[in-house]
Amino acid sequence: MDHSAHHTSTAHDHAAHEAHGGHAGHQMGAVTWGAAAKATLHCLTGCAIGEILGMVIGTALMWGNVQTMVLAISLAFFFGYSFTLFAVRRAGLDWKSAIKVALAADTVSIAVMELVDNGIIALTPGAMDAHLSDALFWTALLGGFAVAFVITTPVNKWMIGRGKGHAVVHAYH
């Protein structure tokens, strides 16, 4: 796949990009599970930071479950997008283009991850009422992340194989 039309920097070496460790095999139809897992881990990191921060803030402020989950999900999307946004900004994209790339790269991945993760938390008996000091709070939250990773990785593999999702970011590193 020729990404040269997408580059804004003349310093980018496409041949070096193709050999860039961990990204080999992300061309359409030839996506490795490792590349998909790496993209999912990238997404999970931003989601986890936002979600944990939101849950901690909402729980500490003794907000209700709905308000806490809305905050946690909002922050998960914010941090998930921000990781990609700042990476493509460093590559030379203007803000408008960087936002478009981040939205295209991460929306489906974050949405699937948040749906699975929050579904597990909501369905775990007592987890919604657990406090920050309860093992159940952390077990449900971290268990939800683990299951979300397992479910989201094949989604990312499928999307990257079609030149969508995280694949759109590769033109910029």
Side-chain angles (χ1 to χ4, degrees), residues 125-148:
M128 294 297 293
D129 297 319
H131 297 281
L132 296 174
S133 60
D134 295 336
L136 179 59
F137 175 89
W138 295 103
T139 303
L141 188 61
L142 298 176
F145 289 145
V147 173

Side-chain angles (χ1 to χ4, degrees), residues 7 40-41 68 75 82-83 87-88 97 99 122 134 136 143 150 169:
H7 298 297
T40 305
L41 187 59
T68 299
L75 289 175
S82 68
F83 280 17
V88 296
S97 297
I99 289 169
D134 295 336
L136 179 59
V150 169
V169 174

Side-chain angles (χ1 to χ4, degrees), residues 46-56 69 72-73 75-76 79 113-114 117-118 121 141 145:
C47 288
I49 290 169
E51 183 126 358
I52 290 171
L53 184 60
M55 292 286 191
V56 167
M69 286 188 87
I73 293 167
L75 289 175
F79 281 97
M113 196 162 292
E114 287 303 300
D117 172 45
N118 285 286
I121 293 168
L141 188 61
F145 289 145

Side-chain angles (χ1 to χ4, degrees), residues 14-41:
H14 188 67
H17 169 68
E18 291 302 324
H20 186 58
H23 296 308
H26 72 269
Q27 295 178 354
M28 293 218 303
V31 182
T32 65
W33 282 103
K38 187 173 182 177
T40 305
L41 187 59

Side-chain angles (χ1 to χ4, degrees), residues 44-68:
L44 177 66
T45 302
C47 288
I49 290 169
E51 183 126 358
I52 290 171
L53 184 60
M55 292 286 191
V56 167
I57 290 169
T59 302
L61 295 175
M62 297 190 307
W63 286 359
N65 292 336
V66 172
Q67 296 91 338
T68 299

Side-chain angles (χ1 to χ4, degrees), residues 33 36-37 39-41 43-44 108-121 123 142-159:
W33 282 103
T40 305
L41 187 59
C43 178
L44 177 66
V108 172
S109 183
I110 295 171
V112 170
M113 196 162 292
E114 287 303 300
L115 181 67
V116 172
D117 172 45
N118 285 286
I120 288 171
I121 293 168
L123 294 174
L142 298 176
F145 289 145
V147 173
F149 178 83
V150 169
I151 291 174
T152 307
T153 299
V155 172
N156 281 330
K157 185 177 187 307
W158 181 82
M159 289 180 58

